[in-house]
Amino acid sequence: MSDWINVAKVGEIAPGDHRLVDADGTQIAIFNLGGEHYAIEDVCTHDGGELAGGCVMGDEIECVRHGARFNIRTGAVTAPPAYEPVAKFPIRIENGVVQVRDDRWD
Ligand code: FES
């Protein structure tokens, strides 16, 4: 479990853009999709590629290494060669600041 981590002030991440944070050693990518923020682990479940640098197409991101796709809102795989979902994390807004935390070990 990690505490809530400040990501950015609301409005600092433009729609379609993202920000990376380190949550106790876990790299988390926070995306703004149409004004809503979503957080997934920045690690492709196929072979460990960094996802955040990939191309965002609608709600999906494509891994630059071999082309697997994931739904940014849910973490679900939408195209192989990955078959396992990527971890997703909760987001909250506190006093105008976007925050994320790793809740996997609660
Ligand atoms: S590491 Fe992402 S598709 Fe292979």
Side-chain angles (χ1 to χ4, degrees):
M1 167 179 162
S2 73
D3 291 330
W4 289 97
I5 296 169
N6 293 337
V7 177
K9 292 180 182 171
V10 172
E12 282 187 342
I13 306 173
D17 206 350
H18 71 275
R19 186 72 58 91
L20 286 172
V21 298
D22 183 313
D24 295 334
T26 298
Q27 298 301 310
I28 299 178
I30 298 90
F31 295 84
N32 180 340
L33 296 181
E36 294 290 326
H37 295 86
Y38 300 92
I40 58 173
E41 188 171 8
D42 188 29
V43 179
C44 179
T45 58
H46 173 238
D47 194 29
E50 296 175 5
L51 289 175
C55 185
V56 175
M57 296 158 288
D59 293 351
E60 297 182 358
I61 189 158
E62 184 177 75
C63 180
V64 296
R65 288 191 60 202
H66 313 104
R69 291 189 190 181
F70 300 88
N71 184 301
I72 294 169
R73 297 176 191 268
T74 66
V77 178
T78 56
Y83 293 97
E84 297 292 324
V86 69
K88 65 182 286 270
F89 302 102
I91 290 278
R92 73 177 184 184
I93 307 294
E94 277 287 301
N95 300 316
V97 176
V98 179
Q99 297 183 323
V100 66
R101 64 184 285 271
D102 184 349
D103 64 344
R104 290 177 295 177
W105 325 115
D106 286 1

